[in-house]
Amino acid sequence: GAFQLAMERLPITIHGARVLVIGFGRVGRLTAQRFQALGARVSVAARRYDQLAWAQAMGYGGEHLGQLKDWLCGYDLIVNTVPAQVLGRGELEAVKPDCLILDLASKPGGVDLGAAGELGLTVIWALSLPGKVAPATAGAAIKSTIYNMLREIGL
C-alpha cells in the first residue's frame, strides 16, 4: 500500500528518487529494502547507533534521528515509521515543498499534521495498511501472530 501511494502521488518515478525512511524497526527495515529494490536511493534515520550501523551495512545512507532538521531538504519522499512525533514544525520547515511524506506509524503518528498543512506539504497518514489494500493477507498475518502468541504461552 505504501508503495502504491508513493507511485501514485510522486511526480517522479521511484527509481532514482531520494527516499528517507525514519525508524529502522520491522516496518522501517522492510520499507527501506523494498524502496531500494525499486531503485531508490535510500537513507535511514534512527535514534540508536546500532540500527544506523546495520542500515549502513545494508547499503543505506544513515543519519541520526536527532539531526533531522539539518538535512531533510534533499529528499523526494519521506516515510515515517516511528509512532511518536519526529517531524514537528522545525523539521517540516526544512522539507522541500514537493516532497511527499508518508506516515506509516500507528497513533499518535509521527508528523505534526497541522504544521504540515500550514506549510503546504503533502502528508498521507496511511493508517491500517496493509488491511486497506490487502485485507486477506493482513488477516492471515494477524491470525498467524495470534496463534504463535498462544503457543508461546502454552495454550
Side-chain angles (χ1 to χ4, degrees):
F3 304 101
Q4 175 185 349
L5 290 170
M7 287 188 277
E8 289 175 350
R9 299 296 294 270
L10 278 174
I12 60 173
T13 61
I14 299 296
H15 187 272
R18 297 238 14 229
V19 176
L20 173 66
V21 177
I22 301 174
F24 205 55
R26 180 180 50 87
V27 173
R29 285 190 306 271
L30 290 172
T31 301
Q33 179 190 41
R34 299 302 194 278
F35 273 110
Q36 186 179 54
L38 292 173
R41 294 176 292 158
V42 178
S43 292
V44 169
R47 63 182 166 81
R48 292 188 4 220
Y49 288 102
D50 64 316
Q51 290 176 326
L52 288 175
W54 274 110
Q56 290 171 341
M58 297 169 80
Y60 311 125
E63 300 289 346
H64 193 272
L65 197 56
Q67 307 293 319
L68 276 181
K69 199 181 321 185
D70 297 334
W71 43 268
L72 284 173
C73 63
Y75 292 98
D76 304 304
L77 172 64
I78 298 171
V79 182
N80 176 59
T81 67
V82 177
Q85 190 172 94
V86 292
L87 293 175
R89 177 173 289 280
E91 290 80 15
L92 292 169
E93 288 173 346
V95 173
K96 65 183 187 175
D98 62 343
C99 178
L100 174 63
I101 301 171
L102 291 180
D103 194 347
L104 303 183
S106 56
K107 291 182 179 182
V111 180
D112 181 339
L113 297 175
E118 291 171 11
L119 294 167
L121 297 172
T122 302
V123 178
I124 300 172
W125 192 8
L127 288 172
S128 303
L129 292 179
K132 287 182 180 175
V133 295
T137 302
I142 291 169
K143 174 186 169 187
S144 175
T145 300
I146 290 171
Y147 282 176
N148 287 333
M149 291 170 68
L150 291 171
R151 276 192 284 279
E152 287 176 357
I153 63 171
L155 295 176

